Amino acid sequence: VFQGRILAQRLVGQETRYEVEVKTPYRHRFPLVRREYVWVPNTCGCPSLREGSEYLLMARRHVNYEHTLNRILLQDDGYARPWTPREDRLVREAARHC
């Protein structure tokens, strides 16, 4: 779970790749750097992430069977909401309980 600002969007094959500036990592099981690529396994624009906007993203790390592909994947059932101070407060409170 992290707060990020969408810098760019690009269609790559049957997927969408977002370049994201990681603002605040809240809870993560793998290291995040200041800029990451977040992949969405479709090209339909779901979820709708706009360049320049900030979001609260809950994604997972995807490593393929051969361990040659390691990326951040925002699945269809993932969480992507526009970032607000309220979202920030809710995530920080939940992190204390989880």
Side-chain angles (χ1 to χ4, degrees):
V1 178
F2 63 95
Q3 172 195 357
R5 184 168 60 99
I6 306 299
L7 301 175
Q9 171 187 356
R10 182 174 181 204
L11 298 179
V12 179
Q14 297 297 311
E15 298 180 306
T16 306
R17 183 186 75 185
Y18 293 97
E19 184 177 351
V20 179
E21 177 186 1
V22 177
K23 297 281 214 167
T24 307
Y26 293 102
R27 186 163 174 91
H28 55 283
R29 296 182 181 184
F30 52 91
L32 293 172
V33 294
R34 296 307 293 168
R35 283 203 171 165
E36 292 280 2
Y37 287 122
V38 175
W39 292 83
V40 177
N42 63 54
T43 57
C44 70
C46 307
S48 177
L49 303 177
R50 288 183 283 168
E51 291 182 30
S53 297
E54 292 187 16
Y55 295 91
L56 184 65
L57 301 168
M58 181 175 21
R60 69 178 189 92
R61 185 173 76 160
H62 172 253
V63 180
N64 68 349
Y65 181 74
E66 295 86 15
H67 294 278
T68 58
L69 182 65
N70 183 355
R71 61 190 188 161
I72 299 173
L73 184 66
L74 182 62
Q75 295 178 296
D76 295 335
D77 60 350
Y79 187 85
R81 291 221 176 174
W83 184 88
T84 63
R86 180 179 181 273
E87 291 286 336
D88 178 62
R89 183 175 40 81
L90 292 173
V91 171
R92 288 185 192 277
E93 288 174 8
R96 286 194 293 249
H97 300 289
C98 298

